[in-house]
Amino acid sequence: MADVDAIVDDLQAERAELDAAVSGVDADQWHRPTAARGLRVVDQIAHLNWTDELVIRAIRAPDRFAEEVDGVLAAPHATESINAGSAFVNAGTVQRSTWPRSRLLATWRRSADELSAILRALPRGTRIPWFAPRPLSAAAMAAARVMETWAHGQDVFDALERPRRPTRRLVHIVRLGVRSRDFAYQLRGMEPPCAEFRIELRAPDGELWTWGPADAPDRVTGLALDFALVVTQRLHRDDADLTTEGCAPEQWLGIAQAYAGPAGAGRERIGS
């Protein structure tokens, strides 16, 4: 059983790191473009605030939220449905990005603290409706929030040209990336591989993180940081310190994504 409190602790640490990065920025930095197409630093924070509030709504009124999501995702095809969900989330982001910086930061901090408290207090076995094929457990939702905060935070740190030290919190992003392998294929109308892959990644502290059968012929090895950047589409696969054995893992790294949004174009190669 996943330790929800431990994951929420990591979520709060991830948010605190990002908060410290944006708290003292000037107006130019606040509106500086990030590598995510069409998103400035302010938009990244607005997106995190809006999605935190959506999770709170999903927990407090799951039936009503599920009905709302069903209406948004009523498109007949999976890709169209996911695109509709993305448009719904983007609408809330755009609204918040027009707020004064002090208001947005205060609202983001308040909603983040509220969500953390709610996730900790949820009874064991609670399932949360979301823009995913199945409702999420509290632990899975907390891990997803770590992933999204870290990924959008990476865009912010890069835009502000500030260094960022990788931590063991990457395990949540890496685990989601591994578990979402088949989703990445299905999103693109492709048949997922039948066999499991062996994943061996070096953590920031030197520990080896592994998933899948030890004797699997299809393998991915390398740095956990680079894998996390690839599965959140913050780094082009060709720029990542990752090695594959077999054809299927190489194809997967080209389409991998750890989030439930539409299939994006990813990032261009460095220097292109």
Side-chain angles (χ1 to χ4, degrees):
M1 182 69 67
D3 186 342
V4 175
D5 283 332
I7 302 174
V8 174
D9 286 345
D10 284 349
L11 173 58
Q12 290 184 302
E14 205 64 54
R15 285 168 169 158
E17 182 182 70
L18 178 55
D19 195 340
V22 299
S23 291
V25 299
D26 58 28
D28 175 68
Q29 293 170 319
W30 186 237
H31 293 93
R32 183 175 295 178
T34 69
R37 189 172 303 168
L39 295 182
R40 303 159 298 169
V41 170
V42 56
D43 302 313
Q44 302 279 2
I45 302 303
H47 175 86
L48 291 173
N49 169 232
W50 174 232
T51 48
D52 276 349
E53 292 187 4
L54 284 177
V55 178
I56 293 171
R57 284 165 54 184
I59 294 172
R60 286 182 167 168
D63 292 340
R64 187 169 61 193
F65 183 84
E67 289 178 2
E68 185 177 12
V69 170
D70 287 343
V72 171
L73 305 183
H77 302 293
T79 301
E80 294 174 357
S81 177
I82 290 172
N83 286 336
S86 180
F88 173 69
V89 171
N90 289 341
T93 297
V94 169
Q95 178 196 30
R96 282 162 173 71
S97 67
T98 64
W99 293 353
R101 185 166 79 82
S102 59
R103 177 186 177 188
L104 177 56
L105 286 175
T107 305
W108 173 49
R109 291 163 182 157
R110 185 168 55 250
S111 64
D113 289 343
E114 183 179 1
L115 177 56
S116 291
I118 292 173
L119 287 171
R120 292 185 194 278
L122 279 178
R124 182 171 295 184
T126 300
R127 309 297 292 187
I128 305 167
W130 195 240
F131 304 95
R134 294 177 297 277
L136 303 180
S137 67
M141 179 60 81
R145 299 312 297 155
V146 174
M147 180 270 297
E148 186 160 27
T149 304
W150 179 84
H152 287 280
Q154 187 64 48
D155 293 337
V156 170
F157 275 86
D158 288 345
L160 298 178
E161 300 178 334
R162 297 189 182 183
R164 191 188 201 190
R165 182 177 60 86
T167 72
R168 287 184 59 84
R169 298 192 295 271
L170 286 175
V171 70
H172 305 296
I173 297 95
V174 170
R175 186 182 292 119
L176 282 172
V178 172
R179 292 179 175 176
S180 63
R181 185 198 73 169
D182 289 359
F183 169 75
Y185 283 91
Q186 294 161 357
L187 182 59
R188 293 161 176 79
M190 302 165 64
E191 189 70 26
C194 296
E196 288 187 68
F197 298 162
R198 175 67 172 182
I199 314 295
E200 297 183 353
L201 302 170
R202 190 64 60 183
D205 62 1
E207 182 182 351
L208 186 66
W209 293 340
T210 64
W211 289 266
D215 60 350
D218 293 318
R219 311 172 73 85
V220 177
T221 59
L223 297 179
L225 172 60
D226 284 31
F227 183 84
L229 289 167
V230 167
V231 299
T232 56
Q233 297 197 356
R234 262 61 187 180
L235 182 69
H236 193 282
R237 183 272 171 276
D238 292 344
D239 294 317
D241 189 354
L242 299 170
T243 302
T244 61
E245 296 180 30
C247 296
E250 189 60 38
Q251 180 190 52
W252 172 48
L253 290 181
I255 62 172
Q257 64 180 72
Y259 53 90
R267 297 289 164 84
E268 295 183 354
R269 291 196 63 180
I270 295 174
S272 62

